[in-house]
Amino acid sequence: MAQPFLAPGIAWALVVIFSVLWIALGVSWGRKGKGDADDYMLAGRNIGLALSTATLMASWVTGNTTLLAPEFGYRNGLWGMFSYALAGLGLILFAPLALRIKQLMPAGRTSGDFFRLRYGRAAWWVFMVITAIYTLGFLMTQAMGAGILLEALSGFDYRLGMVVVIGVSTIYTLYGGMRAVVGTDFIQSLLIMVLLVVVAVLAFRQFPVPEVHRALVASHPGRLNLLLPAGLLIAWNSALFSMGEVFHNNIWWSRVFASRPSVVFRSFVFGGLAWMTVPVVTGSIGLVALAQAIELPQVNMVFPVVASQLLGAGGAAMVFVVVFASLTSTLDSLLASTADLVAEDVVFKLLNPQLSDAELKRATRLVVIGLGVVTLALSWPRLDSLASVLFFTGALVASTIWPVAYGLYWRSANRVAAIAAMVAGSVCGLLAYTLIAPYCAALISAAVSALVMAVGTQLWPESFSWHILKEG
C-alpha cells in the first residue's frame, strides 16, 4: 500500500474528536424533540431556511464529490469539472416540484406515499424496487468509499474505516432522528465549505490562474475545449442522473416535508447552487495538478496530493476532515430517510396499519439499525469500481423523473403509463449501460420514460382528484 498522507496517530485523534462530537450533538438534538414518530422522522416539520439549505447541500456532498470531481478535472479538463457540477441541477430543478409537493401533501411523510396515492399499489411496487436497488447501491458506494478513502488517507484498514463511519452515522441517527441529521449536516456543510475554500485559495496563490491556463494551453489544449462531444454527453447524463436521484429519493422528499412551506423552494435552489461550488472548487484543484504535472500515486487522490504538498500535514488533516464530514453527512441522510420509507410504507401502511405512534417510532429505529448492519454486510467484500455501481443505478432512477413530474402537475397522468415508463426506461437504460457506455444509461432511460409517459397520458388520460393526496 502507498504511504498514507496523514500519520495514523493524527487520523485517530481526528476520528475520535469528530465521532464524539457528532454522537453528542445527535443525542442532544434528539432530546429536544417532542418524542413522537412525526417529530423523529421530520423534526417537527419546522426546519428553517439555513438548516434546510445546509442539510440539502451536505447530504449531496459525498466522498465522491470531494475526490472524484478533482479526478474528473484532471482527466477531462474543464468539461470534467463542469459536468460533475451539473449534478447540482437535480436539487435546483426539484425546487418547484418541492413547493408543489408541500402544497398537495401537507401531511405527507415519504415519496412512497405519493406513488401509492397517485398511481396505485402496482406503481408503488415498481417504485419501491427501483428505490431499494438504488439505495442499497448508494449505501454500498458510501460505505466502501469510506473504507477505501480512509485507508488511502491515513493507513486505516479498509474494513475498520468502513465500520467507524457507518457506526458513527448509525448511532447518532438512531438516537436523534431527523433533528440529529439536520443539525450535524449544518456543521458538516460549514466545515466542508470553509476547508475547501482554504485549500483552493492557497492552491491558486501558489499557482495563479493565468499561469495554470498557460501551462494547460501549452501541454493539454484539448482539456480546455468545451465543445467535445464526449464531454457534452457526460454533462447531459450527469444532469439527468442527478434529477433521477433527487426526484425519486426519500432523502429529498423528507426534507420537503420537514421544512417550513415558506422556505422549501429557496432552500432547494440555494442548496443546489451551494453544492455546485464544491465540484467546481475541487475540480479546479485537479486542473492545478494537471498544469503543474504533479505526480499522482492514484488519479483519484488528486485532492489530498495537492493539499498535502501545499500545506503538509495540515493540508492532509483538512482533507481527512472534509472526507469524514462528507461521508457521515450522506450516510446519516440515507439511513434516516430510508428508515422512514421502510417503516412508514412497508411496516405501517402495508403490514400493520394498527401500529401506534410509539410503535412506529420504534420500528423506524429498528430499521436504522438493520440498514447499518445490511450496509456493512454488503460492503464487506471490496469492489474494484464504485463508479460502475452508481452508473448502474442511474439507469433505474432516471426512469422515475417523468412519472413524478407528470403526477404532480397533470391530473390526466395515466397510472399504467407511469408503470410502463419506469419499466421501459429502466430496461432501455440498462441495455445502454451494457451495450453502449455506462455514462449514457441515465440519458437513454430518461428519454424512453418521457416518451412512454407522454404518449400513454395523451392517448388514455385519467382524471385524478388532488384531494386524495391531501387526505391520504
Side-chain angles (χ1 to χ4, degrees), residues 76-95:
N76 303 303
L78 289 178
W79 254 131
M81 181 175 70
F82 291 138
S83 65
Y84 205 106
L86 286 177
L89 287 176
L91 292 178
I92 296 171
L93 295 176
F94 192 64

Side-chain angles (χ1 to χ4, degrees), residues 35-296:
D36 59 15
D38 205 60
D39 190 87
Y40 182 80
M41 292 178 171
L42 301 171
R45 300 178 185 265
N46 195 39
I47 298 176
L49 181 61
L51 285 176
S52 182
T53 301
T55 189
L56 288 169
M57 193 276 264
S59 299
W60 207 216
V61 175
T62 67
N64 293 335
T65 314
T66 52
L67 293 181
L68 194 56
E71 179 186 340
F72 271 38
Y74 186 84
R75 286 183 181 276
N76 303 303
L78 289 178
W79 254 131
M81 181 175 70
F82 291 138
S83 65
Y84 205 106
L86 286 177
L89 287 176
L91 292 178
I92 296 171
L93 295 176
F94 192 64
L97 279 72
L99 186 60
R100 179 72 169 166
I101 291 166
K102 196 71 173 176
Q103 294 168 346
L104 292 178
M105 303 179 67
R109 280 181 174 167
T110 69
S111 53
D113 282 341
F114 168 76
F115 270 89
R116 177 177 51 82
L117 295 170
R118 183 64 182 85
Y119 292 124
R121 187 67 74 179
W124 175 85
W125 275 109
V126 176
F127 163 77
M128 289 296 284
V129 169
I130 290 174
T131 297
I133 295 172
Y134 167 79
T135 301
L136 289 175
F138 201 179
L139 283 168
M140 286 174 62
T141 60
Q142 294 310 295
M144 288 186 289
I148 292 169
L149 295 175
L150 296 188
E151 182 181 62
L153 291 173
S154 61
F156 285 5
D157 177 73
Y158 162 75
R159 292 183 176 86
L160 176 61
M162 188 171 64
V163 169
V164 168
V165 173
I166 294 176
V168 170
S169 302
T170 302
I171 290 170
Y172 72 75
T173 302
L174 172 68
Y175 283 99
M178 181 62 75
R179 288 185 184 275
V181 171
V182 170
T184 52
D185 279 358
F186 181 76
I187 298 175
Q188 288 157 351
S189 66
L190 292 179
L191 269 175
I192 292 167
M193 293 294 285
V194 170
L195 294 180
L196 285 178
V197 168
V198 169
V199 174
V201 168
L202 291 173
F204 283 104
R205 281 187 64 184
Q206 187 166 336
F207 306 112
V209 173
E211 180 184 329
V212 172
H213 182 263
R214 283 194 299 270
L216 290 175
V217 169
S219 58
H220 303 283
R223 308 289 174 88
L224 301 176
N225 185 1
L226 291 176
L227 297 178
L228 287 175
L232 293 169
L233 181 59
I234 294 172
W236 272 103
N237 190 76
S238 178
L240 288 167
F241 184 7
S242 73
M243 288 174 64
E245 289 184 283
V246 174
F247 279 37
H248 95 285
N249 196 270
N250 198 50
I251 288 178
W252 318 108
W253 286 69
S254 66
R255 298 310 191 273
V256 174
F257 298 132
S259 300
R260 299 171 192 162
S262 60
V263 308
V264 166
F265 182 90
R266 288 179 293 161
S267 65
F268 273 88
V269 172
F270 294 159
L273 291 173
W275 182 88
M276 291 174 81
T277 63
V278 176
V280 169
V281 170
T282 56
S284 67
I285 292 172
L287 295 180
V288 170
L290 181 64
Q292 298 301 317
I294 295 175
E295 293 187 11
L296 302 172

